[in-house]
Amino acid sequence: MTFSQHLRSLTQPIWEAQLRHPFVVGLGNGTLPEKKFKFYILQDGRFLGDLARVFAISAKKAPDADSAIRFAKLVEETLIVERALHENYGKRWNLSPRQMAQVPMAPTNYAYTRHMLHVAESGTALDATVVALPCAWIYCVVGRHLLRKGMPGKSHPYRDWLMLYASPEFAAVGRWMRMKVDAWAKSVTDSERDRLEQAFLISSRYEWMFWEMAWNEESWPV
């Protein structure tokens, strides 16, 4: 078993719970209320900005030039490809990119991104890759799970989202990150291994909480 496979085995119940979450189920069959999807898209747009920062940190800390170049490319892809999807939805709601960027982060979104940034800034390139891996890997799993019975029809309200995250191009991102994790983790100590497991576990929990946040349209209580 590779280290990335080990990490997934530790968090498998959390990942399975995501596939049953009402937000994810509604996203797949098209019954998700648009209001909840809009909340999600606006929050996810904010999330992507900090995810790009994590990739930028990874590029800076990468132990080899090829990895640094690939992480830098991920910064670009996150800000251009994924953000373009969000901005296209924003146009439906008459929201400019600037307006979308000014939406306040919900508590869970803020906490998740602070977790990722802290791990990335205080650790190695391996730490930064591990803490961001659940996002890339889980979205691929969710996208492919929701399209397991075939492609969505053109009238599906969330077709563009499903097509992006079930695409081979997006799957390639997670696959490359897992390859890096498996290669770099071969020489870790027991204490480093424990730290990486904890970072991956917390990110996986936050992934479930992100769906829950959007489903409940979470706001700050005070």
Side-chain angles (χ1 to χ4, degrees):
M1 179 183 291
T2 65
F3 187 61
S4 62
Q5 290 171 335
H6 166 70
L7 292 174
R8 178 166 178 174
S9 70
L10 291 177
T11 56
Q12 190 62 30
I14 299 171
W15 288 33
E16 291 175 354
Q18 292 193 58
L19 302 181
R20 301 189 299 268
H21 195 282
F23 187 98
V24 174
V25 173
L27 184 61
N29 62 27
T31 62
L32 180 68
E34 185 179 25
K35 183 182 178 184
K36 295 184 184 298
F37 183 72
K38 179 180 179 181
F39 183 96
Y40 160 80
I41 286 292
L42 294 176
Q43 289 297 317
D44 200 44
R46 293 298 313 274
F47 175 90
L48 291 177
D50 283 334
L51 178 62
R53 292 183 180 93
V54 172
F55 287 144
I57 294 169
S58 301
K60 182 178 180 180
K61 294 187 174 185
D64 60 271
D66 287 344
S67 296
I69 292 170
R70 184 68 180 100
F71 277 121
K73 184 67 174 177
L74 286 178
V75 174
E76 179 183 3
E77 291 173 357
T78 300
L79 294 177
I80 295 178
V81 178
E82 291 194 72
R83 182 168 286 181
L85 172 73
H86 293 66
E87 291 178 356
N88 284 337
Y89 280 115
K91 290 176 182 177
R92 296 187 186 182
W93 306 315
N94 295 316
L95 292 173
S96 68
R98 182 177 180 180
Q99 289 173 313
M100 295 177 73
Q102 291 175 339
V103 171
M105 277 190 170
T108 293
N109 195 7
Y110 183 84
Y112 186 9
T113 51
R114 294 323 94 177
H115 158 67
M116 289 198 306
L117 288 166
H118 170 72
V119 170
E121 289 170 348
S122 62
T124 64
L126 175 57
D127 289 283
T129 308
V130 165
V131 80
L133 180 56
C135 176
W137 200 352
I138 285 172
Y139 269 50
C140 178
V141 170
V142 168
R144 291 187 169 185
H145 171 77
L146 296 179
L147 295 191
R148 67 194 185 283
K149 295 181 180 179
M151 296 296 176
K154 292 184 178 181
S155 62
H156 194 297
Y158 310 123
R159 173 185 169 87
D160 291 345
W161 190 97
L162 294 168
M163 296 296 288
L164 174 61
Y165 292 113
S167 68
E169 292 80 9
F170 187 78
V173 173
R175 188 163 55 248
W176 180 83
M177 292 175 68
R178 294 194 297 275
M179 180 184 69
K180 294 285 100 178
V181 166
D182 293 336
W184 292 340
K186 290 179 179 178
S187 59
V188 297
T189 64
D190 289 344
S191 62
E192 289 170 335
R193 184 184 181 92
D194 291 342
R195 185 182 72 219
L196 294 165
E197 290 175 352
Q198 188 68 8
F200 189 88
L201 173 63
I202 292 174
S203 288
S204 295
R205 286 172 169 162
Y206 272 126
E207 284 295 324
W208 183 93
M209 291 172 65
F210 208 94
W211 306 121
E212 182 77 355
M213 171 197 74
W215 181 254
N216 294 324
E217 300 174 54
E218 180 187 271
S219 62
W220 295 92
V222 292

